Amino acid sequence: MPTAAQKEIDERTNLTGSNKFEMLLFRLGNAAGTERSELFGINVFKIREIVAMPAVTAMAGAPQHVLGVVNLRGQVIPVIDLPAVVGCVPKSGLNIMLVTEYARTTQAFAAEAVEDIVRLDWKQILSADEAMARGFVTSIARLDGDQNTTRLAQILDVESILQRILPADQADLKANSSGPALKLRPGAIILAADDSFVARAMIEQELKALQLPYEMTKTGQEAWNRLQAIAAECQAQGLELRERVALVLTDLEMPEMDGFTLTRNIKKDPLMRGLPVVIHSSLTGDTNEQHVRSAGADAYVAKFAARELDVALRDALARYEAVVA
């Protein structure tokens, strides 16, 4: 008989099948010039562990806001001063270290305090406006589920933070093509979805390098609504959806509807299930990749591996005969 702990693990694992996720809430201190300490959040799936702040070894020439490195069970990882990045001042100091995994990399973020872990529906997450998205906040969580609630948490765009503070190998991030430009059927596009401003810019850069026409959306719900509209137009015109949409490229973590739900919706819809779906996400690891396969996606690529994305797009388009000579 399953133990309570096993049941909790199973429930967490199965959240991806219900458009839900768990978010770690934490505080970074007071916003500059105020006495307010706001809540921030990160998807629990990206948290490897939470530890009391250890001694940090300062590194000569370290980038701004990098406190130094720590040796955590034999692995040396950088520690980022998260309050300093977002402009907060911790009252009680940097007490907690959040160890995270993003796009196959490990790093730690110093924080003031951990508040709670909450289970939310992605419908409770609202996309940040363009001005906020260009900063470090990708979306806002309504923690109580009420549209009129005043209890909110800011979900940080950690991809953007890492790219600005600890830029990855530029050779890997640079858009490149492993072969000739791809040519889709006339009028067909790649429909892409990602809520991160930095990720959208990189995706657009890669699709332009491949000379692929595309349309960019910011949430899974927006992508799904667009697909439904295009499918209705095609049906009215006696066309197959694949004549208008060659492939869907989607992130996993997005406001309103996550990439798992978007993929399942596509694969079970009679008008859409012939569309290839490539998932491009910073959620890495065997468990997440297994979820991707169970959702029916055709490929999974970790952010921001431009070469891998190039290969995955080529393979998926060729398999579905979406390119023309």
Side-chain angles (χ1 to χ4, degrees):
M1 190 170 186
T3 65
Q6 286 174 321
K7 286 181 178 178
E8 184 177 352
I9 290 171
D10 288 341
E11 283 180 14
R12 262 185 192 164
T13 302
N14 293 329
L15 285 177
T16 56
S18 57
N19 202 43
K20 291 181 171 60
F21 75 111
E22 287 189 329
M23 185 167 68
L24 175 73
L25 298 175
F26 55 94
R27 294 190 188 274
L28 299 176
N30 292 350
T34 75
E35 292 298 316
R36 293 176 59 92
S37 178
E38 305 294 354
L39 279 171
F40 295 86
I42 290 181
N43 192 330
V44 167
F45 275 150
K46 289 182 175 176
I47 302 290
R48 196 175 81 179
E49 57 186 308
I50 303 168
V51 298
M53 194 68 191
V56 178
T57 300
M59 298 293 290
Q64 185 183 20
H65 303 319
V66 174
L67 295 172
V69 296
V70 295
N71 182 3
L72 193 63
R73 281 179 291 284
Q75 184 179 12
V76 176
I77 58 176
V79 182
I80 297 169
D81 185 345
L82 196 51
V85 171
V86 301
C88 290
V89 180
K91 273 190 165 183
S92 62
L94 299 174
N95 306 310
I96 300 295
M97 190 172 77
L98 310 177
V99 183
T100 64
E101 291 186 357
Y102 277 84
R104 299 175 184 164
T105 65
T106 303
Q107 54 282 312
F109 293 96
E112 182 177 39
V114 167
E115 186 89 359
D116 197 3
I117 291 179
V118 293
R119 188 166 293 183
L120 303 173
D121 192 297
W122 279 107
K123 291 179 181 178
Q124 292 173 243
I125 311 302
L126 301 178
S127 181
D129 64 30
E130 196 65 23
M132 294 178 69
R134 288 174 182 267
F136 293 127
V137 175
T138 184
S139 47
I140 304 294
R142 296 193 305 258
L143 298 179
D144 303 318
D146 183 351
Q147 290 190 7
N148 298 314
T149 184
T150 55
R151 189 166 176 254
L152 304 173
Q154 303 172 61
I155 301 180
L156 293 174
D157 188 347
V158 182
E159 294 156 5
S160 176
I161 292 172
L162 288 177
Q163 183 55 22
R164 297 189 200 187
I165 307 301
L166 291 173
D169 182 357
Q170 293 304 310
D172 192 43
L173 290 173
K174 186 179 178 181
N176 59 62
S177 175
S178 61
L182 297 173
K183 189 176 180 182
L184 304 181
R185 294 185 181 95
I189 61 165
I190 304 294
L191 183 65
D194 202 299
D195 66 325
S196 167
F197 174 76
V198 166
R200 289 198 302 274
M202 290 183 174
I203 290 168
E204 290 184 1
Q205 186 177 326
E206 181 65 23
L207 294 177
K208 286 175 182 176
L210 292 170
Q211 299 181 39
L212 290 170
Y214 64 88
E215 185 174 326
M216 185 65 69
T217 59
K218 294 193 292 185
T219 72
Q221 187 66 56
E222 186 181 343
W224 176 241
N225 292 346
R226 185 68 183 121
L227 270 177
Q228 288 182 305
I230 296 173
E233 292 171 8
C234 288
Q235 199 168 26
Q237 297 168 11
L239 302 174
E240 289 188 18
L241 180 59
R242 289 172 57 191
E243 295 182 64
R244 292 279 307 281
V245 181
L247 178 144
V248 176
L249 175 63
T250 179
D251 186 21
L252 287 179
E253 303 173 278
M254 293 182 290
E256 301 178 73
M257 179 188 291
D258 66 9
F260 293 112
T261 303
L262 174 62
T263 301
R264 277 190 292 269
N265 285 352
I266 292 170
K267 293 300 183 178
K268 72 182 181 183
D269 189 296
L271 298 176
M272 300 182 191
R273 58 189 173 205
L275 290 180
V277 178
V278 173
I279 287 178
H280 182 234
S281 174
S282 57
L283 273 178
T284 52
D286 292 340
T287 300
N288 289 314
E289 294 190 27
Q290 184 177 344
H291 290 326
V292 168
R293 288 191 291 272
S294 67
D298 296 275
Y300 172 88
V301 180
K303 292 178 179 176
F304 291 103
R307 176 68 66 176
E308 292 181 30
L309 180 58
D310 175 88
V311 171
L313 291 173
R314 287 179 182 279
D315 288 349
L317 289 170
R319 199 180 321 129
Y320 282 78
E321 299 178 343
V323 291
V324 296

